[in-house]
Amino acid sequence: MDNNDIENTVQNECEDYPSASFLLDSCFQDYQRIQDNYNKIYEKINIALAFSGVILTIILGTFDFSPAKFNVNNMKIWEVILTSIELICLGGSLIVIVGATIYLLLLLRGRKIAVFKSEDIRKEEIYRNKESHAALWLIDKYTRIVNEVRPIVQKKQKAFDHAMVAIIVGIMMYVAAVVLRKGGF
C-alpha cells in the first residue's frame, strides 16, 4: 500500500455526514412507533382474551345438547336437517372459540425482540466520534433493529387478526344455533 492509498483511506474515513444528525430523530420516532405498535398488540390480545372469556362463559352457561336426543322416526326430513345444522353450529362455535382463545394465549408468549443496547455506545466509544459519525452509527443500529422487529410485529398483528376472525365466526355459528333452536327459520 503506498502513501496515496493510505491518504485516500484516511480521507474516506474522515468524511463528514452532516445530514445524519437530522435523520436521527426520524429514525428514533420510527423505532418508538414500532415499539408502541408491538406493545399495543399485547394490549389488544388481553382485551380479546377477556372478550372471548365472556363469550365462552355465556356459551357454556347456555350450552344444551338436548337436540342430539332427537327421535328421527317422528320428524320430517327438514326438521332432521335443521336439528343437525343446529348441533353442528353449536359444537362448531364452541370448538372455534376455544381454539381462538388458546391461540390468543399462545400469542402472549414469545415477547422476545431485538432492542437497542446502549452499552455498545460505551464499548465502541461512540461518544468520542464527531456528532455526524455518532448519528450515522445510531442510524445504522436503529435500522438493523427495525428490520428485525418490523416482521415480528406484522406477524403478531396478522395472527391476532386471524384469532379475532375466528372468534367472530364462532359467535356467528352460535347465533345461528340459537336461531335454529328458537325456530327462526
Side-chain angles (χ1 to χ4, degrees):
M1 208 181 231
D2 63 16
N3 282 341
N4 253 355
D5 290 338
I6 293 173
E7 246 180 66
N8 287 339
T9 304
V10 170
Q11 190 175 20
N12 286 341
E13 288 179 4
C14 292
E15 283 184 28
D16 201 14
Y17 304 98
S19 61
S21 300
F22 299 118
L23 297 174
L24 186 60
D25 188 47
S26 296
C27 290
F28 180 71
Q29 288 175 1
D30 186 42
Y31 176 73
Q32 286 289 29
R33 189 173 34 257
I34 289 173
Q35 287 290 348
D36 290 342
N37 287 343
Y38 189 74
N39 291 332
K40 284 178 185 176
I41 289 172
Y42 282 93
E43 291 171 11
K44 290 190 268 184
I45 290 172
N46 287 325
I47 292 169
L49 279 170
F51 177 70
S52 68
V54 168
I55 296 299
L56 281 173
T57 302
I58 292 169
I59 289 175
L60 292 174
T62 60
F63 205 71
D64 184 20
F65 264 126
S66 61
K69 301 177 195 173
F70 63 93
N71 186 0
V72 180
N73 294 335
N74 300 336
M75 297 175 85
K76 296 177 183 156
I77 189 73
W78 64 271
E79 290 174 329
V80 172
I81 292 172
L82 288 179
T83 304
S84 299
I85 292 172
E86 175 190 347
L87 289 171
I88 290 170
C89 287
L90 194 60
S93 70
L94 185 63
I95 291 170
V96 169
I97 292 175
V98 166
T101 303
I102 291 169
Y103 192 59
L104 286 170
L105 286 170
L106 291 174
L107 280 177
L108 285 176
R109 291 183 32 230
R111 202 169 178 170
K112 186 185 291 187
I113 61 169
V115 294
F116 177 74
K117 293 191 299 184
S118 58
E119 297 91 28
D120 291 345
I121 293 172
R122 273 187 273 145
K123 286 178 186 174
E124 297 181 29
E125 296 184 352
I126 299 302
Y127 50 83
R128 294 186 187 268
N129 293 343
K130 289 183 189 179
E131 182 182 348
S132 62
H133 288 276
L136 189 64
W137 182 86
L138 282 170
I139 289 170
D140 179 57
K141 290 293 182 182
Y142 283 130
T143 304
R144 289 174 193 224
I145 290 170
V146 165
N147 285 337
E148 285 183 42
V149 173
R150 189 169 280 140
I152 294 170
V153 172
Q154 290 171 343
K155 182 179 175 183
K156 287 257 185 202
Q157 182 64 49
K158 187 175 181 181
F160 172 76
D161 292 343
H162 288 304
M164 289 307 298
V165 167
I167 289 172
I168 292 168
V169 167
I171 291 170
M172 291 172 63
M173 289 174 73
Y174 182 74
V175 167
V178 168
V179 168
L180 287 170
R181 158 107 4 119
K182 303 292 182 188
F185 289 118

